C-alpha cells in the first residue's frame, strides 16, 4: 500500500518565465477505428407517463451518428450489449455526445444525455460507468450508463513515459466519474524540477478538453508522484492560485542507483571470484583426499578379495572333507546296521536257547517229581530200561 502524506506547500516560482511555461503538447488528430461498446444503463428517468418505455442510445462524433438497437420494455434499466463503430480520419473531434431516447409513437422522448471527452474514453479499455443528466446543463442526474471503448489507429494524447524522470506516477484530470489520463502532458511541463500551474492557467484549456461544461468546482487534477521514495498525491482545483510541486531528479537517482548497483555487483563479483578460488582449492583438496581414499579402498578391496579366495578354498576343502566324512559315516552306518542285524540274530538265538533251557529245566523238574521214594528217600534215576523194576518196588511193602 502506498504511503500517502501531505504534498509540499504551494508556492510561486519566480525563476520561471512565461515563455518556459508554454511547453504544451496537444491531442493529435485520430485516424483509425473507434469502437464503443454500449452495455447497459441503470436508473434512468422515466419519461413515458403510461406503460413501459423502450430505450435506445445515439452516439455522435462530429457528423457521424450511430444508434443502438431498442430495448423493448427496457424501461429504466435497459440492456443493449452492442458495439458501435466510428471510422475516423484526421479527426480533431474531442467529444462524443451520448443521448438516450425512448422509442415512442411519433416523436421520441429524450431521457438523458452526457457529453464525454474522447480523452476519458481512450484512457482505458475497461468498462466504466458514466453519469447521465436530463439536459446539457448537467444540473439534474438521470441515472448512469456503462460503456467500454477501444481505439485501433494513431493519434490521441501524448503517451506517458514508461518511467518518469521526475518520479511522476499518475495524473488524472476530470470529475469524480469522468477522468482522463494526462500523465503524458505533465512530463514535458516540468521545469527546474518543478511542476507549476499559474493562477491564470485554465486546466481545461491546457489539456484541451472540458470534462463537464459549466462545472468548475467539481473538476480537479490529481497528481501522484514520488517524494523521498514515498508516494504523494497532490490535488489541483480547476479554480486555483499559483501552484507548484517540487519534484526530484529520479533519472539522476536512477543513474546513481545503477552506478551503486554496478559497484555492488563488481564487489559481489570479486567476492564470488574469491569464493570460487577457495571452492576450487577445497575441491582439489577433496579430490586428492578422495583419490587417496580410493587407492586405500582398492588395496583393502584386493586384500578382502584375497581373503575371500582363501576362505573359498577352505570352504571347498572343508566341503571335500565333509564329503569324505559323510562317505565314512555311511560305511560305518552300514557296518552298524549289519552288527545290529547280527546282534538281533544272536538275541533271537539266545532267546531260543533260553526257551529250550527253560523247557529242559521244566522237564528235569517234572522228571524229578516223578522219582520213587524208598524209606522217605528219593531214589536215584533209574537207567533206561529199569522202569518196570521201579513200579514193582512201589508196590512192595515189607510191612504189608
Amino acid at each position: 500500500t502506498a504511503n500517502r502524506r501531505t504534498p509540499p506547500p504551494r508556492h510561486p516560482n519566480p525563476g520561471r518565465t512565461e515563455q518556459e511555461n508554454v511547453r504544451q503538447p496537444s491531442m493529435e488528430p485520430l485516424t483509425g477505428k473507434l469502437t464503443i461498446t454500449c452495455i447497459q444503463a441503470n436508473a434512468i428517468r422515466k419519461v413515458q407517463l403510461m406503460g413501459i418505455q423502450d430505450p435506445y442510445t445515439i452516439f455522435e462524433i462530429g457528423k457521424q451518428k450511430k444508434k443502438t438497437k431498442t430495448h423493448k420494455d427496457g424501461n429504466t434499466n435497459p440492456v443493449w450489449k452492442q458495439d458501435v463503430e466510428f471510422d475516423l480520419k484526421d479527426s480533431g473531434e474531442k467529444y462524443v455526445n451520448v443521448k438516450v431516447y425512448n422509442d415512442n409513437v411519433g416523436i421520441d422522448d429524450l431521457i438523458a444525455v452526457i457529453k464525454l471527452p474522447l480523452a476519458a474514453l481512450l484512457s482505458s479499455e475497461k468498462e466504466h460507468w458514466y453519469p447521465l443528466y436530463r439536459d446539457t446543463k448537467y444540473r439534474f442526474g438521470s441515472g448512469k450508463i456503462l460503456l467500454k471503448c477501444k481505439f485501433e489507429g494513431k493519434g490521441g494524447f501524448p503517451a506517458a513515459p514508461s518511467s518518469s524522470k521526475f518520479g511522476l506516477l499518475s495524473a488524472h484530470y476530470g470529475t469524480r466519474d469522468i477522468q482522463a489520463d494526462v500523465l503524458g502532458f505533465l512530463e514535458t511541463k516540468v521545469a527546474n524540477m518543478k511542476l507549476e500551474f499559474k493562477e491564470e492557467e485554465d486546466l481545461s484549456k491546457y489539456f484541451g478538453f472540458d470534462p463537464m461544461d459549466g462545472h468548475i468546482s467539481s473538476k480537479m487534477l490529481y497528481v501522484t508522484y514520488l517524494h523521498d521514495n514515498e508516494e504523494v498525491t497532490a490535488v489541483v482545483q480547476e479554480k486555483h492560485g499559483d501552484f507548484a510541486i517540487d519534484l526530484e531528479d529520479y533519472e539522476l537517482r536512477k543513474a546513481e542507483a545503477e552506478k551503486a548497483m554496478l559497484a555492488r555487483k563488481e564487489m559481489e563479483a570479486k567476492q564470488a571470484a574469491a569464493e570460487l578460488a577457495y571452492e576450487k582449492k577445497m575441491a582439489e583438496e577433496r579430490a586428492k583426499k578422495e583419490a587417496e581414499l580410493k587407492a586405500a579402498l582398492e588395496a583393502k578391496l584386493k586384500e578382502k578379495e584375497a581373503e575371500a579366495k582363501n576362505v573359498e578354498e577352505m570352504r571347498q576343502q572343508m566341503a571335500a572333507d565333509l564329503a569324505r566324512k559323510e562317505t565314512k559315516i555311511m560305511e560305518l552306518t552300514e557296518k552298524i546296521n549289519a552288527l545290529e542285524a547280527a546282534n538281533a540274530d544272536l538275541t533271537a538265538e539266545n532267546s531260543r536257547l533260553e526257551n529250550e533251557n527253560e523247557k529242559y529245566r521244566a522237564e528235569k523238574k517234572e522228571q524229578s517229581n516223578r522219582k520213587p521214594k524208598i524209606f522217605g528217600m528219593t531214589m536215584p534215576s533209574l537207567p533206561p530200561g529199569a522202569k518196570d523194576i521201579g513200579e514193582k518196588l512201589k508196590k512192595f511193602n515189607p510191612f504189608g
Side-chain angles (χ1 to χ4, degrees):
T1 304
N3 294 318
R4 309 182 70 85
R5 59 190 181 86
T6 305
R10 306 173 183 176
H11 60 82
N13 180 17
R16 278 282 283 283
T17 65
E18 193 66 30
Q19 187 175 2
E20 288 176 329
N21 199 34
V22 183
R23 300 172 58 192
Q24 177 179 339
S26 60
M27 180 173 175
E28 303 234 347
L30 297 174
T31 298
K33 183 174 74 173
L34 177 67
T35 303
I36 299 175
T37 303
C38 184
I39 302 171
Q40 66 184 86
N42 180 258
I44 59 177
R45 71 183 177 118
K46 185 174 174 59
V47 295
Q48 186 167 317
L49 298 179
M50 299 181 64
I52 299 176
Q53 58 191 12
D54 308 318
Y56 66 88
T57 302
I58 289 179
F59 295 88
E60 295 176 347
I61 299 179
K63 295 181 180 181
Q64 295 189 60
K65 182 184 294 186
K66 305 291 180 177
K67 176 180 175 295
T68 69
K69 61 187 177 183
T70 298
H71 184 181
K72 183 70 174 174
D73 296 333
N75 207 19
T76 59
N77 297 292
V79 177
W80 297 287
K81 294 182 180 180
Q82 182 178 347
D83 291 343
V84 294
E85 296 181 353
F86 292 88
D87 292 323
L88 305 177
K89 295 182 180 178
D90 291 327
S91 173
E93 297 294 334
K94 298 180 179 179
Y95 301 94
V96 54
N97 289 305
V98 183
K99 300 177 182 179
V100 182
Y101 286 91
N102 176 34
D103 192 352
N104 206 350
V105 178
I107 299 176
D108 294 344
D109 299 319
L110 179 65
I111 298 175
V113 297
I114 186 67
K115 182 179 180 181
L116 292 175
L118 284 173
L121 288 172
L122 296 176
S123 292
S124 173
E125 293 186 359
K126 296 180 180 180
E127 297 177 0
H128 187 78
W129 286 99
Y130 294 97
L132 292 171
Y133 296 89
R134 292 189 179 186
D135 51 43
T136 54
K137 294 181 181 179
Y138 306 136
R139 290 180 299 178
F140 302 103
S142 183
K144 57 185 178 179
I145 189 167
L146 182 61
L147 303 176
K148 185 171 69 171
C149 183
K150 181 179 180 180
F151 177 67
E152 298 172 291
K154 61 180 182 178
F157 272 4
S162 57
S163 178
S164 172
K165 297 186 295 184
F166 312 108
L168 293 170
L169 300 178
S170 67
H172 292 87
Y173 171 59
T175 66
R176 184 185 64 179
D177 300 311
I178 305 173
Q179 292 186 1
D181 187 345
V182 294
L183 183 60
F185 279 88
L186 301 186
E187 189 77 14
T188 58
K189 188 175 175 60
V190 177
N192 300 324
M193 303 310 299
K194 293 182 183 294
L195 178 62
E196 288 187 300
F197 287 94
K198 296 294 186 181
E199 182 177 359
E200 65 275 8
E201 195 169 8
D202 187 278
L203 295 180
S204 296
K205 289 182 179 179
Y206 177 77
F207 292 118
F209 71 93
D210 193 336
M212 188 170 289
D213 291 337
H215 287 249
I216 296 177
S217 60
S218 62
K219 292 180 288 188
M220 299 181 185
L221 171 63
Y222 301 87
V223 182
T224 301
Y225 61 98
L226 290 175
H227 185 76
D228 291 336
N229 290 322
E230 293 183 359
E231 284 192 18
V232 180
T233 296
V235 181
V236 184
Q237 304 269 350
E238 178 75 11
K239 194 172 183 63
H240 58 84
D242 289 347
F243 186 90
I245 299 175
D246 292 323
L247 300 174
E248 301 172 17
D249 193 342
Y250 273 84
E251 191 172 41
L252 178 61
R253 283 194 175 190
K254 183 179 178 181
E256 292 174 349
E258 288 176 352
K259 183 178 179 181
M261 183 181 295
L262 182 60
R264 186 169 61 253
K265 285 184 177 180
E266 288 178 355
M267 183 180 65
E268 290 174 353
K270 290 180 180 179
Q271 183 177 357
E275 291 177 355
L276 183 61
Y278 175 75
E279 288 294 333
K280 182 179 179 181
K281 180 180 177 182
M282 295 300 294
E284 290 174 350
E285 291 180 359
R286 284 195 300 269
K288 182 179 178 181
K289 289 181 179 179
E290 287 174 359
E292 293 174 353
L293 180 60
K294 182 179 179 181
L297 288 174
E298 288 177 351
K300 192 72 174 175
L301 181 60
K302 289 180 180 180
E303 182 181 344
K304 292 296 182 182
E305 287 176 351
E307 291 179 359
K309 184 178 179 181
N310 293 335
V311 170
E312 178 63 20
E313 291 176 353
M314 291 175 63
R315 188 191 67 78
Q316 293 177 359
Q317 183 65 38
M318 290 176 66
D321 293 343
L322 181 61
R324 286 193 297 271
K325 289 179 179 180
E326 287 177 350
T327 303
K328 191 70 173 175
I329 289 172
M330 290 177 65
E331 294 175 354
L332 292 174
T333 301
E334 291 176 357
K335 290 181 179 180
I336 289 171
N337 291 335
L339 290 173
E340 288 178 349
N343 186 43
D345 293 341
L346 289 174
T347 301
E349 182 63 22
N350 186 41
S351 179
R352 186 184 65 79
L353 292 174
E354 285 182 357
N355 291 334
E356 289 182 356
N357 190 29
E358 184 68 26
K359 184 177 180 182
Y360 175 76
R361 282 196 297 271
E363 288 177 355
K364 284 290 187 181
K365 184 176 181 180
E366 184 178 356
Q367 289 176 2
S368 176
N369 291 333
R370 289 178 182 175
K371 291 178 181 181
K373 295 182 179 181
I374 298 176
F375 302 110
M377 298 179 59
T378 302
M379 296 298 292
S381 297
L382 294 177
K387 183 177 181 181
D388 294 335
I389 298 173
E391 289 294 329
K392 290 178 179 181
L393 287 174
K394 283 183 181 181
K395 291 179 181 182
F396 173 75
N397 185 353
F399 299 102

